[in-house]
Amino acid sequence: MTKIITTIAFFICSLLSAQTQFEQGMGKAFGLWKEGKNTEASAMFERIASAEKNSYLPNYYVALINTTAAFTEKDKTKLDLMLTKAQDALDIEMIKDQNNAELYAMQALIYTAWVVADPMTNGQKYSAKVMEAYAKGKAIDPNNPRVVFGEADYQLGGAKWTGVDTKPLCAQIDKAVELFGTFKPETSFSPKWGLERALESQKNCK
């Protein structure tokens, strides 16, 4: 009996230790990212992802860090490497779970980065994929603010070429801002970014 209790206690302690290590690692990775150390933060999230298979978050942030960095990267070789790394990390989680709206929002963002990098070459190739990813995300969670905002924002970006009526899109931006206000992330590490961009877009929306 004592042996069983000891074994259970050891198991519980192991779980608590693993959880603490995960939380500590995530906190450190976020700290590096906040300091602008994108490469180091991405590498740390990768290490966490290899150790923690049950959470999509480490690979999600590998994808997010590299994708957001790609938007301002002028070196084509570096940009390709960033977006390939982002896609590889996201693919790992997509294989495990096709019912997560955050992953589809992330996928749309990766496609958007390709479009922004080279609109003439990639616009036709990826634009439909961007919208498809957002549509899948909305089907899963129509009230996810990153999905609602991202879809409208992408269409607004192309409105000057497509000539679409922007009023319904601006209404979606307004809706996204409201959704950001009521959104409750599942954990302290879950995605909660996007409000600042949505407010900026709302301010410029016509």
Side-chain angles (χ1 to χ4, degrees):
M1 186 68 181
T2 305
K3 188 176 181 181
I4 293 171
I5 293 171
T6 304
T7 303
I8 292 171
F10 178 76
F11 177 68
I12 292 170
C13 287
S14 296
L15 284 177
L16 291 172
S17 176
Q19 185 184 28
T20 302
Q21 286 175 359
F22 174 76
E23 291 174 349
Q24 287 177 347
M26 291 290 284
K28 187 174 180 181
F30 276 115
L32 289 168
W33 191 16
K34 191 175 181 180
E35 291 171 12
K37 298 176 180 177
N38 293 346
T39 303
E40 293 90 335
S42 178
M44 174 148 278
F45 279 123
E46 284 184 75
R47 288 196 295 274
I48 298 168
S50 66
E52 177 51 72
K53 308 291 186 184
N54 295 324
S55 173
Y56 78 93
L57 292 170
N59 272 321
Y60 172 89
Y61 285 111
V62 172
L64 185 60
I65 288 172
N66 284 281
T67 303
T68 52
F71 276 101
T72 56
E73 181 56 61
K74 302 302 181 186
D75 186 304
K76 186 179 183 301
T77 301
K78 289 180 180 178
L79 184 141
D80 287 352
L81 288 171
M82 286 174 179
L83 292 181
T84 299
K85 182 182 282 289
Q87 189 65 62
D88 288 346
L90 186 66
D91 285 347
I92 292 170
E93 300 309 322
M94 280 288 201
I95 290 168
K96 292 189 282 188
D97 184 8
Q98 290 91 46
N99 199 40
N100 186 336
E102 296 291 359
L103 296 182
Y104 287 104
M106 187 67 251
Q107 181 63 82
L109 198 63
I110 293 172
Y111 289 148
T112 301
W114 282 116
V115 174
V116 170
D118 190 347
M120 295 297 290
T121 303
N122 295 333
Q124 191 171 0
K125 181 179 179 181
Y126 288 108
S127 283
K129 291 184 177 183
V130 171
M131 297 308 295
E132 182 184 0
Y134 281 129
K136 287 180 178 178
K138 281 180 82 172
I140 295 165
D141 183 1
N143 292 319
N144 182 292
R146 276 160 293 285
V147 171
V148 174
F149 169 67
E151 183 183 48
D153 189 54
Y154 185 78
Q155 292 178 86
L156 276 171
K160 55 186 171 185
W161 291 287
T162 60
V164 299
D165 183 7
T166 59
K167 285 184 180 178
L169 299 176
C170 290
Q172 286 299 298
I173 298 291
D174 292 339
K175 178 183 176 182
V177 170
E178 290 178 11
L179 290 172
F180 274 115
T182 57
F183 180 77
K184 291 181 173 58
E186 290 182 12
T187 74
S188 59
F189 299 122
S190 295
K192 42 188 171 285
W193 59 271
L195 177 58
E196 286 185 12
R197 279 186 59 213
L199 288 170
E200 185 179 341
S201 184
Q202 184 184 50
K203 187 171 62 176
N204 298 323
C205 214
K206 297 175 182 177

